[in-house]
Amino acid sequence: GAGVSQSPSNKVTEKGKDVELRCDPISGHTALYWYRQSLGQGLEFLIYFQGNSAPDKSGLPSDRFSAERTGGSVSTLTIQRTQQEDSAVYLCASSLGGNNQPQHFGDGTRLSIL
Amino acid sequence: KQEVTQIPAALSVPEGENLVLNCSFTDSAIYNLQWFRQDPGKGLTSLLLIQSSQREQTSGRLNASLDKSSGRSTLYIAASQPGDSATYLCAVRAYNQGGKLIFGQGTELSVKP
């Protein structure tokens, strides 16, 4: 079956612009996660959606970052007024519900801020 | 605060060798530990998940062990092949941390033909 799909695969934009990154999870997965991978910081958690519960936004680095998950499926991560330090690979993962389900990752969106 | 460490950061071995990758974590209050591989420019591929009540998991040439009390996990790769070359990451899902995984920095493995 299809895995986690992310788009675009690459995005180059100018500092100060807004960007939207999309994640399409595995069908039937109720949990969806966003992570960021950068050279100096490794893999960092950003936000977690589980079913209809309020999302865990504890990893978002600033109020310029937000995410939505519509209809319990597709998610969009939005970064407003991008800065050069936002350059990274943004990874999305999904899983079945529960604490002992493996997380399955997409190939990520490589974001470059000029 | 949970911290995950992987040693070594990089490893180069000749083809056919058996090898062990190490992962340690500071807080034993975890639900599970998951091993991933990452190829250049790609996302993470899940290899094995060990629940906190388990001691080991096996998949093909891979065997992962977990010693929760000492905060350690190992990933054993038997009869290594050049196609095993990748970065290997371990991550824990900790109590009271929501659903997030906390990752180590990874071990970059190179298997030489």
Side-chain angles (χ1 to χ4, degrees), chain A residues 17-78:
Chain A
K17 300 285 189 184
D18 297 353
V19 295
E20 284 191 353
L21 312 180
R22 177 187 168 106
C23 173
D24 211 330
I26 293 171
S27 178
H29 281 191
T30 57
L32 187 147
Y33 316 79
W34 284 97
Y35 295 87
R36 178 169 71 173
Q37 187 173 33
S38 52
L39 278 176
Q41 300 297 323
L43 262 154
E44 304 172 280
F45 165 78
L46 296 176
I47 189 168
Y48 160 48
F49 297 89
Q50 171 55 62
N52 295 322
S53 302
D56 175 0
K57 304 179 182 179
S58 61
L60 294 179
S62 78
D63 59 7
R64 296 186 295 105
F65 288 72
S66 63
E68 291 185 338
R69 189 177 186 193
T70 54
S73 180
V74 171
S75 177
T76 303
L77 178 68
T78 302

Side-chain angles (χ1 to χ4, degrees), chain A residues 33 35 37 39-45 48 56 58 91 95 98-108 110, chain B residues 31-32 34 36 38 40-46 49-52 89 93 97-105:
Chain A
Y33 316 79
Y35 295 87
Q37 187 173 33
L39 278 176
Q41 300 297 323
L43 262 154
E44 304 172 280
F45 165 78
Y48 160 48
D56 175 0
S58 61
L91 291 162
S95 73
N99 293 317
N100 275 312
Q101 297 295 331
Q103 295 185 20
H104 299 275
F105 283 74
D107 280 342
R110 183 173 298 276
Chain B
Y31 290 111
N32 57 62
Q34 198 168 353
F36 298 88
Q38 185 173 33
K42 295 292 188 181
L44 279 62
T45 300
S46 179
L49 181 145
I50 312 178
Q51 297 182 27
S52 61
L89 293 144
R93 184 164 181 162
Q97 294 286 322
K100 70 178 179 185
L101 293 176
I102 301 167
F103 283 86
Q105 294 291 327

Side-chain angles (χ1 to χ4, degrees), chain B residues 39-109:
Chain B
D39 295 285
K42 295 292 188 181
L44 279 62
T45 300
S46 179
L47 298 173
L48 291 163
L49 181 145
I50 312 178
Q51 297 182 27
S52 61
S53 59
Q54 296 175 325
R55 297 286 292 185
E56 64 180 84
Q57 282 284 338
T58 298
S59 176
R61 295 183 293 109
L62 305 180
N63 176 278
S65 70
L66 175 65
D67 184 342
K68 198 174 69 164
S69 61
S70 68
R72 293 180 183 177
S73 177
T74 62
L75 180 66
Y76 174 85
I77 303 177
S80 59
Q81 302 169 359
D84 295 330
S85 298
T87 296
Y88 290 80
L89 293 144
C90 69
V92 298
R93 184 164 181 162
Y95 292 169
N96 301 319
Q97 294 286 322
K100 70 178 179 185
L101 293 176
I102 301 167
F103 283 86
Q105 294 291 327
T107 294
E108 186 176 356
L109 174 65

